């Protein structure tokens, strides 16, 4: 029986889809069987970021409504072999499925896959409720700005209420120079407020935008900071204790964050 | 001289006079005897310099109206000052309120954005209140952690209530009906545990080690 991880945020555009694609791809590169599930019905993106848009025949709503079998809707990513995508429907909306249907679907997927990575839509309404329904744990994505952190806090509260374990935090789009100038929230400031464990920090990196446009997750190339950051996140999911990346080439940040992973 | 048993017995003590009120007779009989004693008999003790009076009601429960009636009669004697009413009984409602007020509720966890933690009485939270989160109570609020969200103490109008926090950095504070927002200087200067309180209807902040001066009556 595999494990289902929902990638969520509250605020839109902070990098849920990017994170889902890269964590999924990195886990697949480590030999795990992974299924990516796009629950952003009506605003699907994950297929585009993965470069699989042109292979969609059936989607999640088709499966739930019984228009096709689950295996028929799954798109196998030929670059990884162990990676599949269950795309969202584009012509429907969030109310096309229910949390219970989602729970059943994820349970089915977990029998075949080691990891089911669920890309959650922004917001706290129906789409969010669907996305977290079948999840065993959650990763909350935020960017280092006040409103994204506020929304992350709200989401963490809701996840705790729904008993989706204690979520882990991923801080995306960090710009070390801005942090240094005091124009951006610091990592430990954010962790302090949200009071949950960090699973990774990802720098703001142009290669993310280029690779999204090409339909190739950054983790496929080993030449960018964001690629390394996401591969580290995947290793932490697998249970390795990997130190946080040193984004501003300063000693100090490492010793500060060490304790969040219990590496003493 | 009447032959009926006294309903009101007056005794002198070091602290003034104690009026022992019979708690088995009817209220009307009691009032009658009280009026009689204060207005007609006992002239010798009930004149002269100011005397403090304690009214001991035994097991009788008085409504507010009845209490006013007794106060009115005693006050007719210019030299009598009522110190207090003592009674062995209180109403069920008051008992409940006192019970609540004497209990301090302990809570553990983070009050996150969009969440409300509420209590009747005093509330001690071991954890943070984040921006967008709200902690509120009819009594005082104590936060062993950072208070970054909104706190409302003395919700039913208790102006003696305080809000204390290890780090008092609230978005907004309310005590009774007074609303206040921290200033920039306040946020910059905070060090150590502080508390907010009302003085003459204005919100003030001070270090926790000065609480005993501001609320000396809380000291046991
Ligand atoms: N670390 C990064 N560096 C640079 N650009 C990034 C980074 N992460 C995400 N982006 C860009 O930000 C935009 C939004 O990212 P993404 O679509 O992953 O967010 P989302 O949270 O899924 O959005 P939505 O709420 O709309 O689903 C994209 O254009 C993406 O390429
Ligand atoms: Mg998305």
């Amino acid at each position: 029986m595999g494990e289902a991880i929902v990638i969520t945020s509250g605020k839109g555009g902070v990098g849920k889809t990017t994170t889902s694609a890269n964590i999924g791809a990195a886990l697949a590169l480590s030999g795990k069987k992974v299924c990516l599930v796009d629950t952003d019905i009506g605003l699907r993106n994950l297929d585009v970021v993965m470069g699989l848009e042109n292979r969609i025949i059936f989607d999640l709503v088709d499966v739930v409504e019984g228009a096709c079998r689950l295996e028929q809707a799954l798109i196998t990513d030929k670059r990884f072999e162990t990676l599949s995508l269950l795309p969202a429907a584009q012509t429907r909306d969030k109310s096309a499925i229910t949390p219970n249907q989602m729970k059943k679907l994820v349970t089915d997927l977990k029998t075949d896959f080691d990891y089911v990575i669920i890309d959650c839509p922004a917001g706290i309404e129906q789409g969010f409720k669907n996305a977290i329904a079948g999840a065993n744990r959650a990763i909350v994505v935020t960017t280092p700005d006040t409103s994204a952190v506020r929304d992350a806090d709200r989401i963490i509260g809701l996840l705790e209420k729904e008993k989706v374990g204690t979520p882990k935090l991923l801080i995306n789009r960090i710009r070390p120079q801005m942090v240094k100038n005091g124009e951006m929230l610091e990592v430990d400031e954010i962790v302090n407020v949200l009071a949950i464990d960090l699973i990774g920090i990802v720098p703001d990196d142009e290669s993310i935008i280029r690779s999204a446009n090409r339909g190739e997750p950054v983790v496929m190339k080993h030449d960018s900071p964001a690629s390394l950051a996401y591969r580290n996140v995947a290793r932490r999911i697998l249970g390795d204790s990997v130190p946080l990346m040193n984004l501003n080439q300063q000693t100090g940040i490492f010793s500060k964050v060490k304790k969040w992973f219990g590496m003493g | 001289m009447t032959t009926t048993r006294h309903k009101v017995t007056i005794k002198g003590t070091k602290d003034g006079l104690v009026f022992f009120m019979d708690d088995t007779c009817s209220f009307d009989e009691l009032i009658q005897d009280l009026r009689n004693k204060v207005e007609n008999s006992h002239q010798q003790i009930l004149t002269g310099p100011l005397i403090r009076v304690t009214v001991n009601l035994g097991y009788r429960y008085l409504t507010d109206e009845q209490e006013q009636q007794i106060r009115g009669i005693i006050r007719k004697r210019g030299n009598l000052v009522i110190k207090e009413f003592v009674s062995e009984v209180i109403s069920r409602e008051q008992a409940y309120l006192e019970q609540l007020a004497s209990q301090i509720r302990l809570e553990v966890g983070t009050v996150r954005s969009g969440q409300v933690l509420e209590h009747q009485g005093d509330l001690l939270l071991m954890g943070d209140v984040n921006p967008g989160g709200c902690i509120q109570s009819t009594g005082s609020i104590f936060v062993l952690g950072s208070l970054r969200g909104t706190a409302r103490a003395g919700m039913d109008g208790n102006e003696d209530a305080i809000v204390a926090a290890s780090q008092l950095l609230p978005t907004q504070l309310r005590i009774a009906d007074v609303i206040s927002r921290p200033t920039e200087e306040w946020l910059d200067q905070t060090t150590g545990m502080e508390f907010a309180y009302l003085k003459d209807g204005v919100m003030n902040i001070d270090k926790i080690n000065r609480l005993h001066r501001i609320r000396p009556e809380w000291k046991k």
Side-chain angles (χ1 to χ4, degrees):
Chain A
M1 196 70 158
E3 188 176 25
I5 305 175
V6 61
I7 314 294
T8 179
S9 72
K11 191 167 192 270
V14 295
K16 293 177 293 295
T17 301
T18 307
T19 299
S20 303
N22 281 290
I23 288 178
L27 287 170
L29 286 171
S30 342
K32 296 291 172 190
K33 268 195 94 181
V34 178
C35 183
L36 293 171
V37 181
D38 190 348
T39 61
D40 203 348
I41 303 172
L43 285 170
R44 73 177 177 209
N45 283 153
L46 192 51
D47 53 315
V48 181
V49 173
M50 294 298 295
L52 299 171
E53 187 182 14
N54 54 12
R55 293 187 45 207
I56 298 177
I57 299 167
F58 295 111
D59 57 49
L60 183 123
V61 177
D62 292 326
V63 176
V64 165
E65 290 181 342
C68 70
R69 281 178 293 111
L70 178 55
E71 307 83 74
Q72 290 177 294
L74 291 176
I75 303 165
T76 315
D77 192 323
K78 300 213 169 75
R79 297 165 296 186
F80 302 91
E81 291 177 8
T82 59
L83 183 69
S84 299
L85 169 72
L86 179 57
Q90 184 67 343
T91 55
R92 304 288 292 274
D93 62 50
K94 311 292 190 257
S95 61
I97 59 169
T98 66
N100 275 337
Q101 291 172 325
M102 202 48 210
K103 212 179 263 176
K104 180 177 179 306
L105 178 77
V106 171
T107 307
D108 290 347
L109 286 169
K110 283 198 296 184
T111 58
D112 278 340
F113 293 92
D114 300 317
Y115 289 98
V116 178
I117 306 292
I118 303 162
D119 183 14
C120 181
I124 56 173
E125 292 84 16
Q126 173 94 33
F128 168 74
K129 288 176 185 142
N130 287 338
I132 66 169
N136 303 102
R137 43 175 174 153
I139 292 176
V140 174
V141 182
T142 186
T143 46
D145 63 275
T146 311
S147 54
V149 171
R150 190 73 55 91
D151 291 355
D153 193 41
R154 177 96 171 95
I155 287 292
I156 294 165
L158 294 174
L159 288 169
E160 284 169 348
K161 209 170 104 212
E162 299 293 330
K163 311 239 167 6
V164 190
T166 305
K168 297 265 196 257
L169 181 67
L170 187 145
I171 307 176
N172 189 23
R173 306 199 76 160
I174 296 176
R175 293 166 70 173
Q177 194 54 47
M178 283 184 77
V179 175
K180 221 183 245 170
N181 297 346
E183 296 160 333
M184 195 175 248
L185 295 178
E186 279 181 45
V187 170
D188 45 354
E189 251 178 294
I190 299 169
V191 173
N192 228 328
V193 171
L194 297 180
I196 59 172
D197 290 339
L198 204 51
I199 196 149
I201 52 176
V202 180
D204 194 73
D205 186 343
E206 287 174 11
S207 68
I208 295 251
I209 300 166
R210 276 197 296 271
S211 74
N213 291 336
R214 276 201 311 269
E216 274 178 15
V218 280
V219 291
M220 292 175 67
K221 286 213 175 121
H222 287 208
D223 56 0
S224 71
S227 168
L228 177 59
Y230 275 123
R231 277 181 283 130
N232 284 348
V233 173
R235 285 175 60 192
R236 291 184 192 115
I237 289 174
L238 293 169
D240 292 0
S241 46
V242 192
L244 283 188
M245 268 172 81
N246 186 349
L247 295 182
N248 47 6
Q249 310 301 319
Q250 262 180 8
T251 52
I253 194 176
F254 174 61
S255 56
K256 253 188 201 164
V257 295
K258 259 202 309 197
K259 58 179 182 293
W260 297 329
F261 294 106
M263 294 179 295
Chain B
M1 281 296 276
T2 57
T3 49
T4 48
R5 213 161 57 83
H6 291 296
K7 309 296 184 213
V8 179
T9 316
I10 304 176
K11 289 205 170 127
T13 70
K14 276 203 303 279
D15 294 329
L17 296 176
V18 181
F19 283 44
F20 289 96
M21 314 294 251
D22 187 308
D23 55 14
T24 54
C25 66
S26 77
F27 184 69
D28 284 344
E29 285 178 287
L30 185 73
I31 285 293
Q32 215 178 341
D33 192 33
L34 179 67
R35 208 170 257 145
N36 183 37
K37 291 230 158 71
V38 171
E39 288 167 11
N40 305 321
S41 57
H42 292 81
Q43 294 293 343
Q44 60 282 44
I45 10 172
L46 299 180
T47 49
L50 285 185
I51 306 176
R52 306 214 296 165
V53 172
T54 302
V55 181
N56 190 319
L57 298 163
Y59 284 89
R60 182 187 296 274
Y61 178 75
L62 288 189
T63 64
D64 286 348
E65 251 169 40
Q66 292 173 329
E67 186 180 312
Q68 285 311 319
Q69 213 175 327
I70 291 180
R71 280 179 187 276
I73 297 168
I74 295 177
R75 229 184 259 132
K76 277 199 195 134
R77 285 271 162 197
N79 67 321
L80 295 186
V81 184
I82 295 177
K83 187 179 144 214
E84 59 179 339
F85 278 76
V86 211
S87 167
E88 300 297 329
V89 288
I90 54 174
S91 73
R92 206 177 262 274
E93 185 192 355
Q94 199 183 345
Y96 178 64
L97 289 176
E98 283 185 10
Q99 183 199 356
L100 284 180
S102 68
Q103 287 171 346
I104 178 156
R105 160 99 137 262
L106 297 185
E107 289 279 347
V108 186
T110 307
V111 180
R112 298 187 182 277
S113 178
Q115 299 179 332
V116 180
L117 177 60
E118 199 178 326
H119 178 57
Q120 305 272 319
D122 294 334
L123 178 54
L124 171 63
L125 172 71
M126 289 175 268
D128 297 343
V129 181
N130 280 351
C134 181
I135 184 168
Q136 52 191 42
S137 76
T138 55
S140 292
I141 292 171
F142 309 93
V143 179
L144 281 183
S146 298
L147 173 55
R148 304 188 196 87
T150 300
R152 301 177 62 186
M155 280 216 299
D156 289 348
N158 178 3
E159 300 200 345
D160 289 336
I162 67 162
V163 177
S166 311
Q167 282 171 297
L168 190 64
L169 307 162
T171 318
Q172 194 189 84
L173 279 182
R174 291 193 200 187
I175 298 176
D177 294 325
V178 180
I179 305 178
S180 173
R181 278 178 302 130
T183 59
E184 290 289 324
E185 307 93 80
W186 171 9
L187 294 180
D188 285 347
Q189 283 169 6
T190 56
T191 47
M193 187 140 189
E194 293 174 303
F195 70 103
Y197 64 100
L198 291 186
K199 191 180 170 212
D200 305 325
V202 177
M203 188 100 56
N204 285 271
I205 306 291
D206 215 327
K207 287 206 167 304
I208 199 73
N209 58 15
R210 289 185 42 84
L211 177 57
H212 70 105
R213 292 193 203 173
I214 286 150
R215 292 278 179 273
E217 66 275 16
W218 287 8
K219 228 173 149 180
K220 289 259 157 52

